[in-house]
Amino acid sequence: MSITRFDLELYLLDELDPQRRGEVQAALDADPDLAERLERLRADVDIPVPAFVPPPLQIPEPANRPWRWAMGLAVAAAVGITALVVLRPQGPQMTYRGAMELDVQVVRNGVITAAGSVIQTHPGDLLQWRVLSDTDGHLTVVDQQDDGVWAVWKSAPVTAGLSVEGTVQLDGYQGAERVWFVVSDAPLQVDAAMLPAGVDVATTDRLTVDGTQRTLLLTGAP
Amino acid sequence: MDATAFNALYTRYARFVLARCRAVCGNATDAEEALQDTFIRAWNNRDRFDGRSPLGWLHTLARSASIDLLRKRRPWNTSPEAWDFDRLLGADGADGGARVDITRLLESLDPIEAAMLRLRHIEDWRFIEIAEHFDMSERSVRRQLAALEERARVRLADA
């Protein structure tokens, strides 16, 4: 049985299946040289890692990506069925129309960083976002601060398989604010959709609207 | 894979990728560049990733990124600092003449040969690990390294 560096990496990550992990553990117990290799690897990977700087988002050209349509339809069918079967009975009465992909990047002092769903923001940050829906519809991007003030960032039709993107310069709001990306059949009635006064945007991540939605939470840097 | 999942991928695996890039490239600066390039490739191809064996997928991308970088770096940085000649030659062979000649040998190698030599003699990887990294058979790796070492011996004997 040969134990490779890759096995040892997966061992450290705890990603080996139980049988292989058992084999590796037995080999480590029996072979001091292998155990020493593991310790050397542990030291090798115990290093500071620089931040990742992703490339700027690009809008795909439809002529170059015809496969998106077929894939979009397939994903729509799969996700639609899953949503109807799994999601609908558990949540509020909302329609899940399909799948939506959301990519977000923050540009700070010229450095682009891929962002997660919670972003600590600084005044002057640029928020770049890209939405790819697998259904036709209408995209609404709306931001609501924890003081109840809301603003629509984007309201535009979307076509399945074609991404829509935008950039917003953040104003350094110190509280929490939430951004929703909603793809619905018709333009969203925003004033009816937003959270009523007193509802905490930090802990409320869904709007009660028909459509597919994704959300980000922005928190001002202390 | 969305940006959140991609961030998680980077957080979990980047140090493993960086360690390999450093072993192949031989210095921290090139390794960090190869790491960035690896994850840019991953980002650009994230829709094609099937979710199985993320580390294996990243190592495949890192292999190409490192070799492309080494190719771009020609002529090699064949300084003793980059190559740890004492380890490469052994304590007895590390005199000035041998170093000059091993430098010439290194300069004549292609990126994969140089990386294989580095992984074997400086990073102390086993044949099977080098084979795994370059997606080659262990036999091919043994054969190539034996040929490289023979070239080194001939050069050093002539020096």
Side-chain angles (χ1 to χ4, degrees):
Chain A
M1 178 184 56
S2 186
I3 309 294
T4 66
R5 182 183 172 97
F6 188 57
D7 288 317
L8 296 179
E9 288 172 337
L10 294 179
Y11 178 87
L12 289 179
L13 284 162
D14 201 14
E15 289 188 5
L16 288 169
D17 65 60
Q19 186 189 338
R20 186 63 177 161
R21 187 170 181 86
E23 291 169 356
V24 170
Q25 189 61 61
L28 284 167
D29 293 341
D31 182 355
D33 180 54
L34 185 65
E36 190 193 319
R37 281 181 175 275
L38 177 69
E39 290 317 306
R40 228 182 305 155
L41 175 63
R42 202 191 298 274
D44 275 356
V45 300
D46 185 20
I47 45 177
V49 174
F52 175 58
V53 182
L57 295 171
Q58 293 175 346
I59 300 175
E61 294 295 332
N64 294 336
R65 304 180 75 176
W67 52 270
R68 277 272 185 205
W69 288 94
M71 199 181 84
L73 286 172
V75 172
V79 175
I81 291 166
T82 306
L84 285 170
V85 171
V86 177
L87 298 175
R88 194 162 186 170
Q90 298 173 352
Q93 290 302 306
M94 290 186 278
T95 304
Y96 293 81
R97 306 175 62 258
M100 184 212 295
E101 183 182 304
L102 170 65
D103 290 326
V104 181
Q105 298 178 163
V106 175
V107 184
R108 181 175 304 153
N109 302 322
V111 176
I112 306 170
T113 309
S117 58
V118 179
I119 305 171
Q120 191 172 72
T121 62
H122 292 73
D125 279 357
L126 292 177
L127 196 70
Q128 290 185 325
W129 51 266
R130 183 192 70 147
V131 167
L132 183 65
S133 170
D134 64 357
T135 55
D136 292 342
H138 193 94
L139 170 69
T140 305
V141 183
V142 58
D143 165 88
Q144 186 168 22
Q145 298 175 177
D146 57 4
D147 59 5
V149 174
W150 54 263
V152 175
W153 287 1
K154 183 97 176 179
S155 177
V158 287
T159 303
L162 292 183
S163 61
V164 177
E165 65 181 349
T167 301
V168 173
Q169 180 151 37
L170 301 175
D171 58 8
Y173 181 69
Q174 287 298 298
E177 53 189 313
R178 191 170 279 284
V179 187
W180 282 277
F181 300 79
V182 182
V183 174
S184 47
D185 285 331
L188 202 64
Q189 298 301 311
V190 180
D191 47 0
M194 300 318 293
L195 301 179
V199 176
D200 184 7
V201 296
T203 55
T204 308
D205 61 2
R206 293 197 70 82
L207 293 175
T208 309
V209 295
D210 284 341
T212 309
Q213 53 184 293
R214 297 281 183 276
T215 185
L216 302 175
L217 179 63
L218 310 182
T219 60
Chain B
M1 185 188 306
D2 63 13
T4 307
F6 194 82
N7 266 341
L9 190 81
Y10 188 82
T11 302
R12 184 163 175 77
Y13 297 109
R15 61 201 178 103
F16 288 87
V17 175
L18 180 60
R20 281 210 182 199
C21 291
R22 204 160 55 173
V24 171
C25 296
N27 67 81
T29 308
D30 284 352
E32 287 188 7
E33 189 173 332
L35 172 73
Q36 290 287 324
D37 192 25
T38 299
F39 276 87
I40 286 171
R41 290 172 195 222
W43 174 265
N44 290 337
N45 289 285
R46 63 196 188 281
D47 292 343
R48 295 182 206 159
F49 175 52
D50 63 8
R52 286 178 295 176
S53 186
L55 186 61
W57 178 58
L58 291 169
H59 280 336
T60 303
L61 298 173
R63 180 178 69 215
S64 306
S66 307
I67 294 302
D68 287 351
L69 186 74
L70 288 175
R71 198 164 277 134
K72 211 167 70 180
R73 285 284 186 266
R74 272 189 177 284
W76 307 116
N77 176 5
T78 51
S79 67
E81 294 76 25
W83 275 89
D84 190 355
F85 279 14
D86 289 344
R87 268 193 95 171
L88 189 62
L89 296 167
D92 296 339
D95 59 73
R99 286 184 177 194
V100 169
D101 233 68
I102 203 72
T103 300
R104 289 197 189 124
L105 173 71
L106 292 173
E107 285 169 347
S108 72
L109 301 179
D110 83 13
I112 293 180
E113 287 177 331
M116 285 169 61
L117 203 59
R118 155 175 285 289
L119 293 175
R120 178 66 187 155
H121 291 285
I122 295 178
E123 302 294 335
D124 199 24
W125 284 26
R126 290 177 299 154
F127 291 112
I128 192 169
E129 293 171 328
I130 300 171
E132 185 183 70
H133 182 77
F134 288 108
D135 197 20
M136 299 165 76
S137 71
E138 186 178 345
R139 198 172 157 202
S140 298
V141 170
R142 283 180 182 276
R143 203 183 298 152
Q144 283 201 37
L145 278 169
L148 282 172
E149 285 156 8
E150 180 58 26
R151 276 162 64 187
R153 266 193 294 275
V154 169
R155 273 183 184 273
L156 292 174
D158 292 345

